Amino acid sequence: MNIAAQAAIMLAGLSKSFPGVHAVERLSFEVYPGEIFGLVGPDGAGKTTTLRMLAGVMPPDRGTATVAGFDVGRDPEGAKHHLSYMPQRFGLYEDLTVDENIRFYADLFGVNKAERELRSGQLLRAAGMSEFRGRWAGKLSGGMKQKLGLICALIHRPKVILLDEPTTGVDPVSRRDFWRILYELTAEGVAILTSTAYLDEAERCHRVALLHQGRLLFCDTPAHLKARLGKGVLAVTSPEPRRVREQLQNAEGISSLVLTGDGVHIVVDDVARRMAEFQARLKQAQVPFDQIQRVTPTIEDLFVDAVSGGKVRR
Amino acid sequence: MRWVRLKAVARKEVIHIIRDVRSLGIVVIMPVVLVLFFGYGVSLDLKHLPIYVYDREASEQSQALLKRFQSSDYFEIVRVVNNYSELAKALDDGRAKMAFVIPSDFSEKLRAGGTVSVQALVDATDDNTANIIIGYTQALVQVYSNDVQLEWLQRRGQRVQPPPLSVETRTWYNENLESSAFIVPGVLAVVMSVIGAFLTSLTVAREWERGTMEQLISTPVTSLEIMLGKLVPYFLVGLFDAGVCVVLAIFWFQVPFRGTVMALLISSALFLIALLCLGFFISVVTKNQLAASQIALVATFLPAFLLSGFLFAIEQMPQFVQLVTRILPARYYVSSLKMIFLKGTPVAMLYPQLVPLAIFALVLATLATRIFQKRLV
């Protein structure tokens, strides 16, 4: 990642309102060539609206956004030659075959036949879809549909790729293929902005921005974000996580608490002190638990903590 | 505008038409069905109307009068009865359109040289048909009456003078007064309305509904390329279907075609362009296939049916409705079709039809190019 390079995507105070909602509020960040940048946040955080404005399909209300050097507010068509946008909903034609869909998008971007065949051959191989070229897009599995969407989006070698929750509802194998293709693209200097609902996926990004109600909570590398969480995180493993939560949620020194598969994660102010207190408290209430230990915070911990209390140091 | 992008959109649209059984059916089968339906099913000629007869005399002379009815194409004596109540019943349940009664002193009075009244009871639920029946009946009775008078005079040895006035009629343009000759060409307007407005009204709305539009508008394709790419296939389909209708009309229904192919092509193309642009406009505005198709039907198909002069003469409509027909492209198209087919009017003389059609095409095309924006909300 070359920070000195000119940003491929640049947002400055970008805002968009719909009747009764500020969908995006004064959003500012940059995405550089060769970078995978993740937009993380719950539904309604403003991820889709942000991507739509950057894709030039929705005009911003205030602020500016530049994509591949074009101001999307003033010249929404300018950047379209250089970007690819994959909406959340499958945007391909179900009654067209895989090849026909690829050809359609190649033609729209002015990709010639030789280049199209070369590129689609490579991409289909990378996606493990070479034998499905003649199949109707509507007959593909969810994961294959998303991969085909990505292939259509990449056929013209865009400089900027905008992906809206691209791996939602996708099987793990396809998801792995998908991410492998994305990593290969970064080597070619492509800037990738992806929104995701999966926090584990956000950790694969070079940098992430956490959005909540249209506002940027913070933006940094996943590692830095974790380090910024000055408080510690305690993981309680228990066969009855709900009872643990019940018992501890009003305890002193808790910044946030979230249920995980086999227990709860608790963000606390003082790890050593609270660990002992919680242990005593759970024993007294006869709530079964296996152990309490300090763990490295995940983005999920960070996110929940930021959203629930906003007590994380900025 | 880039040719390759326009071609890409058009090719995709053709694939949609071919792979969707319903649209393919509308494109291939509908024109044939409509032409056959209107050619055979809808006949405004009243022929072989069923009548009941109550002949109270049953003499040679009363039979002679009834024979006139029987041998005319207009009537068919389905039954001879012996009382009024059966006549009334036949009219009540619609088995007879008219009941004809000959009095018992029919031949006696005729011989005496007096005036005889025969009775015609007409089912007037449909006033138009009733008027025609009355007209036919009066004509037949009048002819018979003249013949009787002639015979009466001859028998008395009087010199027979021909009637002082007589009308010589020649029916022009539709010599045999076949209603199919003026209905079948009009089917083109209905077919084109379905292809032009109904099918195209689905195209843009479908992309919004299926979510493909969002990705499409994020590409460099221009709104004009999207519009033309979507409309060109339907334009060609529309002309092809018009050709099918014309061939059926001429070779199957023997409708005379006296005009030029050029005149037909120009008026059809103008009408089609107006409809395609209207369909596109509706589709863009509604973004919903169901709403778009309903609006397209009401805006084009129904007027083409009812207000274009296709089935019902515009001159006989109320003044207000006549004014409304002036803003309907179908009116000018149907009128031009009748002139081209039956009168052989050359292009140069068709300006009262072609100029309004050209204006509709231009205005709607302008509207259509303006309405589509490459953005959400």
Side-chain angles (χ1 to χ4, degrees):
Chain A
M1 185 168 68
N2 180 4
I3 298 288
Q6 173 120 41
I9 304 173
M10 214 160 66
L11 285 76
L14 196 68
S15 304
K16 178 82 187 176
S17 302
F18 299 114
V21 218
H22 294 293
V24 174
E25 264 294 272
R26 295 195 297 277
L27 201 54
S28 303
F29 61 83
E30 288 97 43
V31 183
Y32 293 92
E35 185 179 29
I36 302 180
F37 190 99
L39 278 180
V40 189
D43 282 347
K47 303 183 302 260
T48 297
T49 306
T50 303
L51 288 166
R52 282 174 169 171
M53 286 192 280
L54 295 175
V57 299
M58 188 179 270
D61 290 345
R62 276 166 285 117
T64 55
T66 312
V67 174
F70 295 87
D71 182 330
V72 296
R74 288 210 203 107
D75 179 16
E77 298 304 306
K80 288 185 179 175
H81 292 273
H82 308 290
L83 70 79
S84 254
Y85 169 51
M86 252 181 87
Q88 196 168 356
R89 230 176 120 187
F90 183 61
L92 301 178
Y93 299 95
E94 307 218 333
D95 53 345
L96 264 61
T97 64
V98 168
D99 263 351
E100 285 163 348
N101 270 299
I102 294 173
R103 175 161 183 201
F104 179 63
Y105 279 95
D107 285 349
L108 292 189
F109 284 102
V111 177
N112 66 36
K113 191 178 173 204
E115 166 72 3
R116 179 182 81 227
E117 282 176 1
L118 176 78
R119 184 91 171 137
S120 65
Q122 289 170 349
L123 289 167
L124 284 166
R125 259 194 310 284
M129 287 179 63
S130 295
E131 67 256 56
F132 299 111
R133 303 182 78 138
R135 187 176 287 195
W136 284 21
K139 299 264 166 74
L140 297 172
S141 68
M144 294 240 222
K145 278 183 183 171
Q146 288 308 95
K147 284 192 283 184
L148 174 59
L150 188 61
I151 292 168
C152 289
L154 298 178
I155 195 74
H156 65 291
R157 299 183 188 275
K159 292 180 187 158
V160 172
I161 300 175
L162 306 168
L163 307 168
D164 197 357
E165 300 196 7
T167 55
T168 301
V170 167
D171 61 283
V173 176
S174 290
R175 226 166 122 181
R176 215 171 48 223
D177 288 342
F178 204 96
W179 275 92
R180 205 183 55 237
I181 296 171
L182 293 188
Y183 278 123
E184 281 165 17
L185 287 167
T186 59
E188 298 170 21
V190 177
I192 301 171
L193 176 59
T194 177
S195 72
T196 180
Y198 299 116
L199 288 154
D200 62 317
E201 209 163 79
E203 291 183 57
R204 299 192 191 184
C205 298
H206 297 120
R207 286 192 301 150
V208 292
L210 267 66
L211 293 187
H212 184 60
Q213 294 177 346
R215 290 167 187 275
L216 184 68
L217 292 179
F218 36 66
C219 165
D220 211 329
T221 63
H224 273 122
L225 285 176
K226 287 182 201 172
R228 275 192 183 192
L229 187 69
K231 313 162 189 178
V233 177
L234 287 176
V236 183
T237 43
S238 159
E240 291 182 56
R242 281 171 199 285
R243 285 190 61 197
V244 174
R245 181 176 65 175
E246 215 170 276
Q247 197 53 234
L248 296 181
Q249 61 191 358
N250 295 320
E252 208 183 315
I254 287 187
S255 165
S256 69
L257 185 150
V258 63
L259 284 174
T260 59
D262 58 352
V264 287
H265 275 198
I266 310 166
V267 180
V268 293
D269 52 355
D270 183 333
V271 173
R273 185 174 151 207
R274 301 303 171 198
M275 196 188 296
E277 279 178 14
F278 292 170
Q279 237 155 7
R281 195 163 171 161
L282 289 173
K283 272 186 186 143
Q284 195 191 351
Q286 293 185 320
V287 176
F289 67 97
D290 303 325
Q291 55 174 337
I292 300 184
Q293 62 184 107
R294 181 181 188 147
V295 294
T296 317
T298 64
I299 286 194
E300 187 160 11
D301 297 324
L302 199 68
F303 188 77
V304 171
D305 194 58
V307 170
S308 62
K311 289 171 193 157
V312 169
R313 285 190 316 235
R314 299 260 174 116
Chain B
M1 195 167 75
R2 290 275 301 276
W3 176 239
V4 60
R5 292 197 294 244
L6 197 160
K7 222 168 62 182
V9 177
R11 186 189 308 110
K12 171 183 85 68
E13 214 57 40
V14 169
I15 294 175
H16 288 324
I17 298 173
I18 292 172
R19 295 204 179 143
D20 178 27
V21 181
R22 285 164 304 172
S23 73
L24 194 65
I26 290 177
V27 164
V28 176
I29 300 169
M30 184 215 49
V32 178
V33 170
L34 281 184
V35 171
L36 293 180
F37 177 73
F38 284 106
Y40 282 118
V42 180
S43 171
L44 300 183
D45 307 330
L46 292 171
K47 285 186 176 165
H48 307 291
L49 292 157
I51 60 174
Y52 269 47
V53 167
Y54 180 15
D55 184 355
R56 302 186 70 173
E57 187 182 71
S59 65
E60 197 182 317
Q61 272 187 303
S62 68
Q63 287 300 315
L65 173 58
L66 292 177
K67 214 167 192 169
R68 301 283 175 107
F69 278 83
Q70 187 68 299
S71 59
S72 87
D73 275 345
Y74 308 123
F75 296 112
E76 175 102 37
I77 298 177
V78 288
R79 228 170 134 195
V80 180
V81 299
N82 291 319
N83 55 59
Y84 269 107
S85 64
E86 269 192 79
L87 285 185
K89 239 180 133 253
L91 285 171
D92 277 350
D93 51 27
R95 272 173 293 145
K97 286 283 170 207
M98 179 183 73
F100 194 68
V101 185
I102 299 177
S104 52
D105 54 357
F106 182 70
S107 51
E108 192 182 320
K109 272 200 175 164
L110 278 183
R111 260 196 305 280
T115 304
V116 193
S117 288
V118 288
Q119 189 178 31
L121 302 165
V122 182
D123 174 355
T125 36
D126 173 0
D127 62 324
N128 214 12
T129 310
N131 277 325
I132 291 168
I133 291 173
I134 292 166
Y136 286 162
T137 309
Q138 279 176 340
L140 283 170
V141 170
Q142 186 63 50
V143 172
Y144 180 81
S145 176
N146 286 345
D147 290 351
V148 170
Q149 196 171 29
L150 207 67
E151 203 183 314
W152 191 78
L153 290 169
Q154 275 172 339
R155 223 179 313 138
R156 299 201 155 204
Q158 290 191 5
R159 217 174 66 92
V160 179
Q161 256 193 331
L165 283 179
S166 78
V167 181
E168 284 290 322
T169 54
R170 292 277 185 281
T171 49
W172 281 16
Y173 313 127
N174 183 2
E175 290 75 4
N176 302 324
L177 296 171
E178 301 270 1
S179 62
S180 67
F182 93 94
I183 286 180
V184 174
V187 177
L188 260 78
V190 176
V191 169
M192 296 244 198
S193 298
V194 177
I195 303 288
F198 179 71
L199 281 186
T200 50
S201 77
L202 302 173
T203 62
V204 178
R206 186 171 49 215
E207 300 232 16
W208 283 115
E209 277 183 17
R210 295 194 184 162
T212 50
M213 188 57 92
E214 192 170 343
Q215 192 156 358
L216 185 61
I217 59 177
S218 75
T219 72
V221 69
T222 65
S223 39
L224 189 64
E225 286 158 359
I226 293 179
M227 176 179 136
L228 291 178
K230 281 181 172 294
L231 296 189
V232 165
Y234 288 101
F235 181 74
L236 297 177
V237 164
L239 285 188
F240 169 79
D241 281 347
V244 171
C245 293
V246 170
V247 166
L248 275 174
I250 296 173
F251 294 101
W252 190 260
F253 287 103
Q254 315 276 312
V255 174
F257 184 78
R258 301 191 172 102
T260 60
V261 174
M262 185 51 80
L264 185 63
L265 201 62
I266 291 174
S267 66
S268 301
L270 288 175
F271 181 59
L272 201 50
I273 289 169
L275 285 176
L276 290 169
C277 293
L278 182 63
F280 184 82
F281 182 86
I282 293 169
S283 199
V284 171
V285 172
T286 58
K287 295 187 178 183
N288 172 303
Q289 289 191 80
L290 185 67
S293 59
Q294 301 286 319
I295 293 172
L297 280 182
V298 171
T300 64
F301 188 71
L302 288 184
F305 235 100
L306 302 172
L307 300 175
S308 65
F310 161 51
L311 292 175
F312 311 107
I314 291 171
E315 296 75 27
Q316 286 175 16
M317 293 172 186
Q319 201 63 39
F320 170 71
V321 179
Q322 288 198 30
L323 279 175
V324 171
T325 66
R326 293 191 171 275
I327 57 159
L328 300 173
R331 172 213 164 109
Y332 301 96
Y333 183 54
V334 168
S335 152
S336 76
L337 285 174
K338 288 181 178 170
M339 295 178 81
I340 293 165
F341 268 86
L342 303 178
K343 293 189 178 176
T345 313
V347 177
M349 302 284 285
L350 277 173
Y351 64 87
Q353 283 76 32
L354 296 185
V355 169
L357 282 176
I359 293 171
F360 281 120
L362 200 69
V363 169
L364 289 167
T366 311
L367 274 179
T369 51
R370 295 283 159 82
I371 192 74
F372 184 67
Q373 299 286 331
K374 280 181 69 186
R375 52 167 65 169
L376 302 160
V377 198

